[in-house]
Amino acid sequence: MYTVPKLEDFSPAALDAAAAELLAALVAESHAAADPRSFEEFRNRWMARKNGVLTQVNDLWLKAAPSPAKRDVGQRVNALKQRAEALVAEAEQLAATAALGSKLKSETIDISLPGIERPLGVRHPVLRTLDELISVFVKMGYSVAEGPEVESDYYNFEALNFPPNHPARDTQDTLFIANQEQRAQRDRLLLRTHTSPVQIRTMEKLVPPVRVICPGKVHRNDAPDATHSPVFHQLEGLCVDTNITFGDLKGTLDHAMKSLFGSAVKTSFRPSFFPFTEPSVEVSISCPFCGGKGCRPCKQSGWIELLGAGMVDPNVFGFVDYDPKKLSGFAFGMGVERLAMMTYNVDDIQQFFYGDMRFLEQFA
Ligand code: DAH
């Protein structure tokens, strides 16, 4: 291996010879530094401050040169340093490229290996049922309206003709927002118990004729069991125009139920009570499972009760400045989970809210 000789002769010819010998060694060693480890060794051997070849050249050639030769020696040593720096930089590049090449060679890609499967989500069965319902009514010309889940007493009850302290309020066990005692009753906030308040909000905004459906989440202070949940979904409907009759209500809901459950399904309307409709009805469909003969889902009755409905009470029109002498309308409301349970044959409403993948995956 090359070592830096001591110089006795500082004549240009002797300096040329010494420099040529050093340069030849430098070039040869730089070519041999082909991987990162030998490059490190190469750089240290030549460039190290302490005892690197170039430092030795400084000591043994430049410092040892007699005064008249100093200038000449200095220029040659500088030229050698510059060459050395350039060759080190070049060798560094080559070593890095070589390292990358061998890394790629060792990383063979096995294209037969199965990839990581990321399962696609699907729409929740309750929302799927809601979407189907919405599309049935949208095809009949209804548009979709939404309202807040935190609602005031006025919209949830009062404007729907539930007077303060009226016992009809007891049918909807309500969750109130705390610490509102200082507010007027009509402004107190609660979690809406039904989607009917969206009827009021819609009529406040729109000039009739009105045809809307209002899907959404509602809340009741009910203990969870197989058929009750403190959170569930409803689809509300409202149609207001001149000359809307009970016949329109029957025809609309009959058509909707046939679209959902098949054309063989029959509807039945029985008198009921809601403060915001007069008359009010409860709507049942003939059991789509047994065709009306009687089975477990219909509790042997042949009928399944599915929704509440009625003709909009004139008092409600009074709250939104609609003229009950010129206008009439019908409204309806249904529970979405109830329908989803029938559609997908689910016997416990809680299943919809557990988030259990074993349940949900069945809808994928
Ligand atoms: N809001 C009622 C409830 O939650 C359901 C209902 C009944 C809605 C009759 C209506 C209606 O629009 O006309 O029990």
Side-chain angles (χ1 to χ4, degrees):
M1 198 185 295
Y2 175 79
T3 52
V4 184
K6 264 196 183 140
L7 292 186
E8 315 274 298
D9 181 355
F10 288 90
S11 70
L15 287 173
D16 279 346
E21 199 193 339
L22 181 143
L23 200 57
L26 174 62
V27 170
E29 286 184 35
S30 83
H31 287 165
D35 60 86
R37 262 210 20 228
S38 47
F39 167 74
E40 278 304 310
E41 273 169 30
F42 163 69
R43 182 171 58 186
N44 286 336
R45 174 167 144 72
W46 285 84
M47 310 302 275
R49 286 265 157 81
K50 231 174 127 185
N51 225 28
V53 171
L54 292 177
T55 304
Q56 291 178 44
V57 165
N58 227 35
D59 293 344
L60 297 178
W61 294 3
L62 187 57
K63 285 186 186 158
S67 301
K70 275 248 192 296
R71 210 180 125 84
D72 191 17
V73 176
Q75 276 173 1
R76 286 164 203 270
V77 168
N78 271 342
L80 285 173
K81 272 188 189 160
Q82 276 176 19
R83 260 329 277 287
E85 270 159 20
L87 282 165
V88 165
E90 209 173 281
E92 185 169 27
Q93 284 278 332
L94 287 173
T97 310
L100 187 63
S102 63
K103 186 161 177 255
L104 285 180
K105 247 187 233 162
S106 70
E107 278 178 4
T108 44
I109 296 167
D110 180 356
I111 59 166
S112 68
L113 208 65
I116 299 166
E117 203 180 324
R118 302 191 193 281
L120 277 183
V122 292
R123 210 139 164 78
H124 190 279
V126 169
L127 293 184
R128 209 145 101 183
T129 304
L130 193 52
D131 285 349
E132 259 172 59
L133 271 170
I134 290 171
S135 102
V136 165
F137 285 99
V138 164
K139 280 179 198 148
M140 286 193 267
Y142 283 70
S143 39
V144 178
E146 286 184 301
E149 272 173 55
V150 178
E151 191 50 284
S152 69
D153 186 283
Y154 176 77
Y155 285 108
N156 196 78
F157 290 125
E158 200 178 327
L160 287 162
N161 204 30
F162 291 79
N165 304 317
H166 192 279
R169 289 177 174 231
D170 293 350
T171 61
Q172 306 200 357
D173 208 349
T174 314
L175 293 157
F176 281 89
I177 305 292
N179 303 322
Q180 301 187 91
E181 292 76 11
Q182 73 286 10
R183 289 195 172 186
Q185 173 157 9
R186 53 171 282 152
D187 296 329
R188 288 189 196 163
L189 297 175
L190 47 86
L191 300 182
R192 70 178 177 191
T193 57
H194 51 177
T195 43
S196 303
V198 190
Q199 288 187 29
I200 305 298
R201 290 182 174 276
T202 303
M203 288 189 282
E204 280 180 347
K205 266 185 265 170
L206 298 186
V207 174
V210 168
R211 266 185 209 85
V212 283
I213 44 171
C214 324
K217 203 180 277 174
V218 301
H219 304 255
R220 300 224 181 148
N221 185 18
D222 283 341
D225 63 26
T227 53
H228 293 84
S229 166
V231 180
F232 61 103
H233 298 77
Q234 287 188 335
L235 183 81
E236 190 82 15
L238 173 69
C239 170
V240 181
D241 203 342
T242 51
N243 291 320
I244 297 292
T245 67
F246 197 85
D248 296 316
L249 163 61
K250 285 180 80 172
T252 302
L253 293 180
D254 189 71
H255 172 78
M257 293 304 121
K258 284 182 162 68
S259 307
L260 287 171
F261 293 104
S263 52
V265 147
K266 285 183 273 194
T267 45
S268 143
F269 299 77
R270 289 181 301 144
S272 182
F273 174 79
F274 300 101
F276 39 93
T277 45
E278 182 60 34
S280 302
V281 287
E282 230 134 55
V283 186
S284 302
I285 60 168
S286 59
C287 178
F289 300 111
C290 63
K293 285 192 199 71
C295 64
R296 223 167 78 98
C298 66
K299 300 192 191 102
Q300 311 305 328
S301 73
W303 294 92
I304 295 181
E305 203 181 289
L306 271 189
L307 34 98
M311 302 306 291
V312 179
D313 192 302
N315 287 349
V316 172
F317 286 145
F319 280 99
V320 294
D321 281 334
Y322 275 19
D323 183 351
K325 291 203 186 71
K326 292 193 185 131
L327 296 167
S328 57
F330 64 80
F332 57 88
M334 61 189 105
V336 182
E337 279 78 1
R338 200 74 215 282
L339 278 169
M341 286 170 81
M342 285 182 58
T343 309
Y344 298 113
N345 213 352
V346 174
D347 58 10
D348 181 358
I349 194 175
Q350 301 303 320
Q351 291 288 357
F352 291 132
F353 306 109
Y354 289 144
D356 186 332
M357 289 299 285
R358 291 167 301 181
F359 172 76
L360 296 171
E361 270 167 359
Q362 299 175 66
F363 301 94

